[in-house]
Amino acid sequence: MKILVRNLVRSTSENELKELFQEFGTVGSCTLVIDKVSGESKGFGFVEMANAREAKAAIQNLNYKNLGGNKIRVKKAEDKSVADPSE
């Protein structure tokens, strides 16, 4: 399951994010979205967890958790490969 993590402190590293989610299970990948111009984090990223039960536990336990002074928002990432009829 692909998980969207928003409202991250810009200094959060991929390793820190991965360690946070590993408390709930195996993390397949962890990617922060980086601004191409500044090279700095845009404050959000994605975590992939193969086990849906572990992913749901991570979402429930980490949503609105205080991380580095910010309350992060964690939810299942939407599948953008499906065409949106409202577009």
Side-chain angles (χ1 to χ4, degrees), residues 78-84:
E78 296 176 16
D79 185 0
K80 293 295 185 183
S81 64
V82 178
D84 184 350

Side-chain angles (χ1 to χ4, degrees), residues 52-70:
R53 186 174 45 82
E54 293 173 352
K56 287 176 185 176
I59 291 168
Q60 288 178 343
N61 286 283
L62 296 176
N63 193 33
Y64 293 108
K65 178 180 176 69
N66 191 326
L67 182 65
N70 284 6

Side-chain angles (χ1 to χ4, degrees), residues 1-51:
M1 176 183 293
K2 191 170 190 176
I3 303 167
L4 171 63
V5 185
R6 300 183 65 174
N7 204 36
L8 292 167
V9 175
R10 309 279 175 167
S11 62
T12 303
S13 70
E14 287 182 356
N15 196 45
E16 289 172 316
L17 192 57
K18 184 176 183 178
E19 286 176 4
L20 184 66
F21 277 81
Q22 282 179 330
E23 293 179 32
F24 301 95
T26 304
V27 174
S29 67
C30 177
T31 308
L32 290 175
V33 177
I34 304 297
D35 183 278
K36 292 178 183 176
V37 176
S38 70
E40 295 179 5
S41 168
K42 287 189 172 187
F44 70 98
F46 297 93
V47 175
E48 291 262 7
M49 297 180 79
N51 184 301

